[in-house]
Amino acid sequence: MSRIDPIILRARRLRARRLVPQAVSRRVRWLTAVVRRQWRRSLQFRVVGITLLLSATLVLAFSYTVASLISNSVLQNKIDQSKIMVDNGAEYATRELTGFTQADDPSLPPALRNVVTQLYGSTNNQQAQVIMLRRSGGLSAVWPPQKSAQVMNDPQVSGIRPLVVGARAGTYQQIAALDIGDGLQKYLVMGTPVLVGTEPIELYYVIPLKTEDELVRFTGAVVTGTGIALVALLALIAAMMTRLVVTPVRVAARTAQRLSAGLLDQRMVVRGEDDLARLAAAFNQMAANLQRQIVRLEEMSRLQRRFTSDVSHELRTPLTTVRMAADLLFASRDDFDPAAARSAELLQAELDRFESLLTDLLEISRFDAGFAALDAEPTDLIAVVRRVTDQLAALAERCKVELRAVVPDTEIIAEVDPRRVERVLRNLVGNAVEHGEGRPVIVMLAADASAVAVTVRDHGVGLKPGEEKLVFNRFWRADPSRARQTGGTGLGLSISLEDARLHGGWLEAWGAPGKGAQFRLTLPTRGGDRLVSSPLRLVPDDARADETALIGEAP
C-alpha cells in the first residue's frame, strides 16, 4: 500500500497539471466569445472599446515620451554636476601633488590618502567612492577606507579605464549597475587623469544614482498612474456620451419590435428639441401613419372578407332554387328539341362549376377570417391516395392519360385531416391530368420517421421559370387559353396551400418547359411537429438525370 500511494498521488498531480491549463483555456475561449458577442451586438461597447484602445495608445506614447525626457533631464543634470565636481577635484589633486616627482617617494601614499579624503568630503554623499590608481599598479588610495579599488576591475566598467589610461586630460563617464557592498545599484563612474611628476595618476569617482533612479521611478509611476486614470476617465466619458445616443436608438428598436408584434399604439417619448428629439418625433409620426394605414387596410380586408362570406351565403338560396329547376330541365332534356336539350346540358355544367366556385369562396373566406379548423386523426395515407386516383380515373381515361400510383407495401399512418388531404391531392392530380398532354401522371407516396410526402408528377407543358410560386396565387393560370376538362375555379391550389399550412406542412412546385411539372406535399407524421426535411425530392430523378447529362456533354 505504501508503494501504491505515491504512484496514485503522482498520477493525480499529473492529471491536475493537465486539467489546470485546460480550464484556463476554456475560460479564455469563453471570455473571447463573450467579447466577440458584445462587439457584434453593442454599439456602446464598440465605441468605448475603440476609444479605450486609441486613448491607451496615445497615453502610452505620451507617458513614454514624458518619462524619457524627465529621466534624461535628471541624469544629464547629475552628470553635469558630477563633471564639475570631478574637474574641481582633479585641479585640487594636481595642486596638492605637484611637489612629488618620484614615484617611490615615501610621503606620496599619505598624501594620496589625504587628497582622496578631501575629495570624498566634497561629494556630500556617504555612498560615493573616490579612487586614485597608478597606471603601473601597486599604488592606490580609496575612500571610504573600507571600500576596495577592485570595483574598477568589474566588467560593467571595463570600458572607461582604457579611456582614462590612454588620455592625458579630459573627463570620461560610464553608467553601470554595481554591487560594492550596498546591493546592486546604478552608479555613475567618472574618471580623469591627474599629472603627478612623470607618471599620471587615475582619479575615479563612483557616484550612486539611487536618488535619481528613485526620482525617475516615481515620475514614471506618477505618469503611468495619471495615464491609467486618464484612459479610464476617457472610457467613462465615451460610455456616457455614447449612452446619450445609444439609449434613444435602443428605445426606438424596442418600440419598433413592439410595433412589428402588433402593438400599434406604442410611441417614443420626445424630450427636448435636439436631433434625437426630432428623430423620436419623426418615428412617432411614422408609427402613427403606419397605424392608420394598417387599421384602414385591416378594415378593408375585414369588409372584403365579410362581403365575400355574405355574398356566398346569400347566393346559396337562389342557387338551390336554380339547381332544382336545372335538375328538372336536365332530367327532361330528352323531351326537348336538340337546341333546348343542349341548353339544359350547358346550364347543368355551368351550375356545377358555379357551385364549386361558391364552395371554394366560402372555404377561402374561412381561411382569411382565421376560422379554419383542423380535424386531425390517425389516417392511412395509402387509402387516401388510392381513393383519389380511383375518383379521377374517369377523367384520366377521358384525357387519355395513364394515371399510376406508387405506394409502399406497408401502411403509412399520419395524424392529418383526411378531408383536407384528400382535397389537396384531388386538386393536384386533377391539374396534372389536365396538363399532362396525354403522357403518364405518377403519384408517389413515401414516409420517414418524422414526415410523409406525396409527389404528383406529370410530363406535360411544364412551368416557366418563376411560375412555381405563381401557381398558388388565386385565379392564376399558366395558359388561360387552354380548354379545361373539369372547369376549375382557379382557387384549388390556393386552398391546397392553406390546407398544407394548416397541417404545418409544405406544398411546393417544380417545373420546366417541355419537361412537365411536379408538386410535392409534405406533412409531419405527428400533429404539431416541425418539418426539417422531406422523404421525397422536389426535383424528379429523370429531370436531374437530364441536367447531369447536359452538363457532361458541355464542352
Side-chain angles (χ1 to χ4, degrees), residues 6-26:
I7 297 175
I8 296 176
L9 188 60
R10 190 179 303 110
R12 290 178 178 176
R13 289 199 190 101
L14 293 175
R15 189 182 304 111
R17 291 175 183 174
R18 289 194 301 268
L19 292 177
V20 169
Q22 292 176 1
V24 173
S25 178
R26 287 195 298 269

Side-chain angles (χ1 to χ4, degrees), residues 305-326:
R305 291 195 301 268
R306 182 176 178 181
F307 173 78
T308 303
S309 178
D310 292 345
V311 169
S312 301
H313 282 89
E314 292 298 329
L315 287 177
R316 280 293 183 182
T317 301
L319 179 62
T320 302
T321 304
V322 174
R323 165 62 70 182
M324 293 174 58

Side-chain angles (χ1 to χ4, degrees), residues 249-264 266 283:
V249 175
R250 290 176 177 172
V251 172
R254 288 194 296 267
T255 306
Q257 290 175 352
R258 295 191 185 101
L259 288 172
S260 64
L263 303 176
L264 302 179
Q266 296 295 310
F283 185 91

Side-chain angles (χ1 to χ4, degrees), residues 109 133-141 161 199:
L133 299 174
R134 286 184 61 190
R135 294 185 180 179
S136 59
L139 179 63
S140 63
R161 191 172 185 188
E199 182 181 9

Side-chain angles (χ1 to χ4, degrees), residues 105-126:
D105 190 336
S107 61
L108 181 58
L112 290 177
R113 287 194 293 271
N114 182 57
V115 170
V116 168
T117 302
Q118 294 298 324
L119 295 179
Y120 175 78
S122 65
T123 60
N124 297 322
N125 193 323
Q126 296 181 356

